[in-house]
Amino acid sequence: MALTTVRSTGIGSLPAISGANLTTLNASNISSGTLSTDRYVQGGITEADSWRISADFTGNASPITSWERCDTSFDKIGTGLSHSSGIFTFPSTGKYYVSGWLTGDLNGSSRYNQFAMQHTPDNGTYTTRAIGDSLVTAVSGAEGSWSSYLNYFVDITNTTNDKIRFLFAAANGSVRVMGNTNTSYSGFTCIKLGAT
């Protein structure tokens, strides 16, 4: 038979809640160890970074190397990624969201303009994890423009070995990728979402 009512007979009166009724938390009820800001939300996002291509380049790039951290109307949260010769290293382990974009133009046609993100778990063997692709068609008397986008979630378990890099490949070697030191025509953002 289901319990639908609780009889007050025999329970007695309950005291009003006040500071006198409250007791300290028993330390034995707290598990040992330290709380990690990676596992418990304490102040929101702990890492966010944004990079852009600082100058135009033409043709393929494997990897793209002309990166700079955005420094106009932006400041990273946390330590941020570090960069060397097109390779990005993460400041701490965790699950990161990466979102990138390239824009460019061409006086002609290119049937593919591929923007790719690669990841290595061993600081050596890179595998393509995300690709953004687009085409540009010849426009009479004008340059045609194009854009490619990619998004990926990457799990960084080792800050020494886990790295990412970005590549560009086009069907037409005259395709221009736009870059600028003040405006993010092409770039990527990276946000740490939680612990690994």
Side-chain angles (χ1 to χ4, degrees):
M1 176 168 128
L3 178 62
T4 56
T5 354
V6 176
R7 294 181 58 192
S8 60
T9 309
I11 292 178
S13 61
L14 297 174
I17 296 177
S18 69
N21 301 119
L22 300 176
T23 59
T24 56
L25 182 62
N26 187 334
S28 65
N29 293 327
I30 303 174
S31 61
S32 61
T34 18
L35 294 179
S36 164
T37 54
D38 291 340
R39 295 190 179 275
Y40 303 95
V41 177
Q42 293 181 357
I45 293 171
T46 58
E47 288 287 347
D49 207 353
S50 186
W51 292 73
R52 64 179 162 225
I53 294 173
S54 59
D56 295 351
F57 69 85
T58 302
N60 298 343
S62 180
I64 299 169
T65 58
S66 53
W67 295 103
E68 70 172 18
R69 176 174 282 118
C70 296
D71 55 5
T72 47
S73 304
F74 172 78
D75 191 11
K76 69 186 185 305
I77 297 172
T79 305
L81 282 72
S82 57
H83 168 254
S84 177
S85 303
I87 309 297
F88 287 90
T89 303
F90 290 81
S92 60
T93 59
K95 292 177 170 55
Y96 289 82
Y97 173 66
V98 180
S99 178
W101 66 96
L102 292 183
T103 60
D105 55 25
L106 174 67
N107 189 359
S109 296
S110 181
R111 64 186 176 83
Y112 66 84
N113 303 297
Q114 290 185 341
F115 179 36
M117 187 199 90
Q118 293 185 331
H119 168 249
T120 176
D122 60 10
N123 196 21
T125 307
Y126 282 89
T127 304
T128 300
R129 297 298 182 200
I131 294 178
D133 198 358
S134 66
L135 61 83
V136 61
T137 307
V139 178
S140 178
E143 292 182 335
S145 61
W146 59 272
S147 298
S148 294
Y149 304 89
L150 60 80
N151 296 283
Y152 195 73
F153 290 94
V154 62
D155 190 5
I156 302 301
T157 60
N158 184 304
T159 57
T160 301
N161 294 326
D162 277 303
K163 300 175 191 284
I164 61 170
R165 66 184 184 183
F166 297 90
L167 292 74
F168 177 69
N172 186 326
S174 297
V175 167
R176 178 173 73 148
V177 175
M178 296 171 67
N180 189 283
T181 191
N182 295 310
T183 304
S184 297
Y185 289 106
S186 303
F188 76 95
T189 58
C190 182
I191 301 172
K192 183 176 180 177
L193 300 180
T196 186

